[in-house]
Amino acid sequence: MFNLFALSFLGLFPSQHVLQAPDVKVPVTLGVMSRCPDALLCENLFDTVLKKVSDKIDFRLVYIAQVNSSEPEFGATCLHGPEECAGNVHQLCAAEYTPLDNWWEFVNCNNYQGRNKACLSYTLPWTYIDFRQQIGLPETAKQCAHIAQIDWETSGVGECAGLDGSGRGTEGVNLLHKSILLGKTMGLEKSCTIMINSEPVCIHDGTWKACENGHRASDFIRQINAAYEQLNNQ
Ligand SMILES: *[C@@H]1O[C@H](CO)[C@@H](O)[C@H](O)[C@H]1NC(C)=O
């Protein structure tokens, strides 16, 4: 039998790879709609959460909508209109082809139009309203790709979403349908629903609902750390 320890002494395998099993990440999902004010609020809050625990989680956004073959553009009905379906596709394609840092910056840029978020307070709901109307537009997708250091043409994101920025690329529309169906199997109905380790832990739907263990960033960080320790038997 190969002696992996000997190989690691020889420097062929770094010893940490031999000795340490990879850790188990906590699945964390936000059920969202790209133009929904509740989603923007949750995403803003999770910007703080990700800064603390991004290395401990498998993070994704799942898009709530209805698959609908009568819809000519997206084969889906999105609550805030076809522009929202396009915005969902832009974000899904960014997540598919770029690392978390880039696609998360892309989502934040969608939400804030590249303005300095630090100047905005998420305690003022009206601040979302102006920016929301730009989500899903081709200019927004291309401008935000640039801001998030994603090359629209060569990264795969543009081809996925449609190089024209329409959000109607075949692959992107397929990703949208998959995401909607995944949301159904997860029982996601309200934007925004926060799921940690496959359990719904909090909803913001106009106001906070069903948040037994709190709704501040620190509450989510605490729950994620606890789930991570449990999953990794620490
Ligand atoms: C499906 O799309 C059609 C055409 O836009 C629309 O009239 C209908 O309400 C949609 N159905 C659902 C369930 O959203």
Side-chain angles (χ1 to χ4, degrees), residues 66 68 70-71 77:
Q66 310 296 328
N68 182 348
S70 316
E71 293 279 7
T77 302

Side-chain angles (χ1 to χ4, degrees), residues 165-219:
S166 64
R168 292 175 62 182
T170 308
E171 184 185 2
V173 170
N174 284 337
L175 288 176
L176 176 61
H177 290 183
K178 271 204 235 168
S179 184
I180 294 169
L181 296 175
L182 176 63
K184 303 274 178 211
T185 66
M186 294 175 81
L188 295 172
E189 287 173 0
K190 298 285 183 195
S191 167
C192 158
T193 301
I194 299 167
M195 296 194 76
I196 295 176
N197 207 13
S198 310
E199 296 293 336
V201 298
C202 193
I203 293 173
H204 195 280
D205 182 21
T207 167
W208 291 112
K209 296 172 180 170
C211 308
E212 265 180 46
N213 296 305
H215 56 70
R216 292 168 306 169
S218 59
D219 295 317

Side-chain angles (χ1 to χ4, degrees), residues 98-118:
T98 70
L100 177 64
D101 282 352
N102 299 84
W103 75 259
W104 185 244
E105 190 170 355
F106 179 84
V107 171
N108 275 291
C109 172
N110 274 203
N111 295 353
Y112 292 96
Q113 284 303 293
R115 289 171 179 83
N116 186 353
K117 189 159 92 74

